[in-house]
């Protein structure tokens, strides 16, 4: 009933009714941003047009790429700033978790040249297992931890510039995990972990992957936040026919989205202003088409919002100014807390990063140090955050060690004599101590 009343008021207003604007009800605008991989870059275009029309959402909810774009907007970045940021992101490096070679140990540099993928190997029964994903998500986390640094101490997402939530999937229970509290950089990362591409992320007893598996368009959740006029930007695909499933990306998209596509008619019915950018010819990994995708988002939003261009007159917010973020020059930690360490001593971890309590370190050198620790290949993830408690500057490091000591790597090489060669590399770490390693090629 409330929705019908609100829409009726809006229609009267838009048709030129002379009623005083101040006497009209103020809508609470909720913005829903769907997942869709690279297709989610269209959300940036949608945000640009919302700003053009002076419309600012009161709430934001997103999944996967929608969660990432939404987190930046909720933190205070403008659409133009998000556009500029995404144009600097090396998406291939994010997808494959690639780091500059300078951070890697000599063996890791050599081993990385030889193999494409490593399979966990059990020395007990001499068996090989499939990895939980092709890549870790450290590069994605590093990016978000850096750009979301100004809001990292805001653990209640209702206290952000725009209240925010995102959705991840617990692959143990098969249920969605709604995040409206926590460490923003980490939970936004967890929402965007494409299954089979990225390894799952552990958080509060959950084993998390892409939220799009269970809820790729969280419109009900945004309504529950308080939104009574929902604008939705939907870049999901659709159920493909047999002749359209031509590659692994299409198969992955079909698997992830199959159940969600069935639910979309009901979700669209809960959306007051539904924006559907043209995503034909765009795949979930087509990040190189960023300009085309953003432009398509703008075009779709222009068409949809042309009917609601005076919606901004029912709001009282100032225009989005953007976030004036400058990275700190240096850091000093009164206390350094390390969680998750099992096989490696505190001294080793701090030495790799190059930090000590009460010792000044440049922000740039600190980030280099985190990458050095990752480059050792002893850790799946190194999540860090800065926190001020009782007037003390804390650094909290959450580690996920690589517990599997042995692995079998697979690679392919080409030369004129033997043409294509298959290479198997066996390595076993920490047999006698934490620093030893045996490697053999076949």
């Amino acid at each position: 009933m409330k929705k019908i009343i609100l829409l009726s008021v809006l229609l009267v207003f838009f048709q030129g009714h002379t009623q005083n604007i101040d006497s009209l009800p103020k809508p609470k605008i909720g913005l829903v941003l769907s997942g869709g991989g690279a297709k989610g870059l269209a959300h940036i275009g949608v945000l640009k047009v919302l700003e053009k029309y002076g419309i600012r959402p009161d709430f934001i909810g997103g999944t996967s790429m929608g969660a990432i774009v939404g987190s930046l907007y909720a933190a205070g970045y403008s659409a133009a700033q998000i556009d500029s940021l995404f144009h600097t992101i090396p998406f291939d490096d994010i997808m494959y978790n690639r780091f500059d070679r300078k951070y890697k140990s000599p063996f890791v540099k050599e081993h990385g040249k030889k193999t494409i993928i490593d399979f966990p190997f059990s020395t007990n029964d001499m068996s090989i297992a499939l990895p939980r994903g092709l890549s870790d998500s450290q590069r994605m986390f590093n990016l978000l931890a850096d750009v979301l640094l100004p809001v990292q101490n805001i653990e209640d997402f209702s206290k952000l510039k725009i209240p925010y939530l995102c959705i991840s999937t617990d692959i143990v229970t098969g249920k969605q995990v709604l995040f409206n509290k926590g460490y923003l950089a980490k939970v936004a990362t967890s929402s965007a972990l494409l299954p089979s591409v990225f390894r799952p992320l552990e958080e509060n007893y959950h084993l998390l992957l892409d939220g799009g598996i269970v809820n790729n368009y969280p419109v009900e959740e945004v309504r529950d936040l308080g939104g009574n006029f929902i604008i939705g930007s939907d870049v999901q695909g659709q159920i493909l026919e047999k002749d359209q499933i031509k590659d692994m990306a299409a198969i992955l998209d079909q698997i992830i989205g199959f159940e969600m596509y069935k639910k979309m008619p009901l979700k669209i019915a809960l959306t007051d202003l539904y924006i559907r950018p043209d995503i034909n010819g765009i795949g979930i990994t087509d990040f190189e088409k960023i300009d085309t995708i953003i432009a398509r988002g703008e075009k779709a939003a222009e068409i949809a919002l042309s009917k609601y261009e005076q919606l901004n007159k029912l709001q009282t917010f100032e225009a989005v100014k953007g976030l004036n973020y400058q990275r700190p020059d240096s850091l000093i930690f009164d206390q350094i807390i390390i969680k998750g360490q099992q096989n490696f001593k505190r001294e080793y971890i701090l030495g790799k990063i190059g930090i000590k309590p009460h010792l000044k370190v440049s922000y740039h050198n600190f980030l280099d140090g985190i990458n050095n620790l990752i480059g050792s290949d002893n850790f799946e993830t190194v999540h860090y955050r800065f926190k001020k408690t009782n007037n003390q500057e804390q650094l909290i490091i959450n580690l996920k060690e690589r517990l599997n000591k042995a692995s079998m790597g697979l690679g392919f090489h080409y030369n004129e004599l033997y043409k294509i060669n298959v290479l198997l590399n066996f390595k076993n770490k920490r047999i006698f101590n934490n620093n030893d390693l045996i490697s053999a090629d076949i």
Side-chain angles (χ1 to χ4, degrees):
M1 179 62 70
K2 290 182 179 179
K3 176 179 176 181
I4 294 173
I5 292 172
L6 175 63
L7 287 175
S8 299
V9 171
L10 289 174
L11 287 172
V12 170
F13 178 75
F14 295 146
Q15 288 170 358
H17 198 279
T18 59
Q19 183 177 356
N20 190 325
I21 291 175
D22 293 333
S23 69
L24 295 174
K26 307 297 184 186
K28 292 293 185 180
I29 297 176
L31 178 63
V32 180
L33 304 177
S34 79
K39 294 177 285 188
L41 299 175
H43 298 322
I44 301 172
V46 171
L47 291 173
K48 284 185 171 183
V49 177
L50 286 176
E51 290 183 5
K52 173 184 174 181
Y53 284 91
I55 299 170
R56 177 185 169 184
D58 297 272
F59 311 98
I60 297 178
T63 298
S64 196
M65 182 59 78
I68 291 178
V69 174
S71 70
L72 296 170
Y73 205 66
Y77 286 98
S78 68
Q81 287 177 319
I82 298 173
D83 186 338
S84 297
L85 169 64
F86 272 75
H87 273 85
T88 67
I89 295 175
F91 287 104
D92 282 348
D93 291 345
I94 298 287
M95 291 286 289
Y96 298 106
N97 202 44
R98 289 197 293 250
F99 286 83
D100 193 297
R101 286 172 55 81
K102 71 180 181 180
Y103 300 120
K104 299 178 180 181
S105 66
F107 173 79
V108 174
K109 290 178 183 178
E110 182 64 24
H111 176 67
K113 291 181 181 179
K114 295 178 180 179
T115 60
I116 299 172
I117 184 172
D118 288 342
F119 298 92
F121 183 82
S122 172
T123 55
N124 295 326
D125 57 8
M126 307 301 288
S127 63
I128 297 176
L130 290 174
R132 295 200 295 183
L134 297 177
S135 175
D136 294 317
S137 54
Q138 185 69 39
R139 280 297 300 265
M140 189 190 306
F141 169 81
N142 283 3
L143 169 69
L144 290 176
D146 179 31
V147 297
L148 293 173
L149 186 62
V151 297
Q152 67 162 335
N153 286 314
I154 300 178
E155 297 186 352
D156 181 351
F157 299 161
S158 67
K159 303 291 176 42
L160 294 168
K161 293 284 186 181
I162 302 174
Y164 166 86
L165 64 82
C166 67
I167 304 294
S168 299
T169 301
D170 187 332
I171 61 171
V172 176
T173 64
K175 297 179 179 179
Q176 78 171 28
V177 180
L178 185 153
F179 286 107
N180 54 19
K181 291 181 173 65
Y183 183 20
L184 185 57
K186 188 172 182 179
V187 300
T189 297
S190 75
S191 182
L193 300 180
L194 288 171
S196 76
V197 176
F198 292 105
R199 295 183 182 92
L201 193 62
E202 295 184 19
E203 173 72 6
N204 293 337
Y205 308 105
H206 297 295
L207 197 59
L208 302 173
L209 275 177
D210 197 293
I213 300 171
V214 291
N215 188 353
N216 211 22
Y217 187 83
V219 61
E220 297 94 337
E221 290 74 14
V222 173
R223 280 200 173 276
D224 289 342
L225 275 182
N228 58 19
F229 187 89
I230 304 298
I231 300 174
S233 177
D234 181 15
V235 295
Q236 299 176 88
Q238 57 187 1
I239 297 177
L240 302 176
E241 300 296 332
K242 181 180 178 181
D243 59 352
Q244 294 177 299
I245 304 175
K246 297 179 180 179
D247 54 33
M248 187 172 69
I251 293 173
L252 185 61
D253 195 26
Q254 186 88 327
I255 292 171
I256 295 173
F258 193 75
E259 288 301 319
M260 275 303 305
Y261 299 153
K262 290 182 178 180
K263 300 175 184 176
M264 278 311 296
L266 292 175
K267 288 178 174 286
I268 292 173
L270 292 172
T271 306
D272 300 285
L273 180 56
Y274 182 66
I275 302 172
R276 175 70 175 174
D278 176 13
I279 54 172
N280 289 330
I282 305 294
I284 60 175
T285 59
D286 287 343
F287 292 100
E288 74 281 359
K289 299 178 182 178
I290 179 172
D291 291 318
T292 297
I293 299 169
I294 292 175
R296 291 188 183 185
E298 290 185 67
K299 182 178 180 180
E302 282 281 3
I303 294 171
L305 283 163
S306 62
K307 302 174 184 178
Y308 292 89
E309 60 183 280
Q310 297 189 70
L311 183 60
N312 68 309
K313 295 183 179 180
L314 297 180
Q315 292 188 298
T316 58
F317 293 118
E318 296 181 0
V320 176
K321 298 179 180 179
L323 192 63
N324 183 20
Y325 168 45
Q326 293 183 343
R327 292 174 175 83
D329 293 327
S330 61
L331 306 165
I332 299 179
F333 306 113
D334 300 304
Q335 187 179 18
I336 300 174
I337 301 170
I338 301 176
K339 300 179 181 180
Q341 67 183 109
Q342 298 182 40
N343 297 295
F344 295 92
K345 294 182 179 180
R346 177 183 176 89
E347 292 74 19
Y348 170 82
I349 295 166
L350 297 184
K352 276 288 185 182
I353 302 175
I355 55 174
K356 290 181 180 179
H358 311 295
L359 181 67
K360 181 185 287 189
V361 60
S362 74
Y363 183 63
H364 175 78
N365 287 344
F366 170 79
L367 296 182
D368 275 351
I370 293 293
N371 291 339
N372 283 333
L373 190 59
I374 284 290
S376 70
D377 202 36
N378 291 319
F379 304 90
E380 288 185 13
T381 54
V382 178
H383 292 157
Y384 65 88
R385 66 180 303 184
F386 313 135
K387 198 170 184 179
K388 190 167 186 175
T389 305
N390 297 326
N391 293 322
Q392 284 200 325
E393 298 293 341
Q394 292 182 335
L395 168 64
I396 303 173
I397 303 173
N398 283 278
L399 305 170
K400 172 65 175 174
E401 292 185 8
R402 293 194 189 280
L403 299 180
N404 193 76
K405 298 181 180 180
S407 64
M408 184 71 74
L410 176 66
F412 299 93
H413 294 266
Y414 177 86
N415 60 43
E416 292 296 331
L417 180 60
Y418 297 106
K419 304 303 180 183
I420 296 178
N421 302 287
V422 177
L423 174 103
L424 292 177
N425 173 267
F426 171 79
K427 69 175 181 179
N428 199 0
K429 304 174 70 173
R430 305 199 301 272
I431 300 173
F432 303 107
N433 58 60
N434 285 335
N435 296 317
D436 63 26
L437 185 146
I438 295 175
S439 175
D441 295 337
I442 303 175

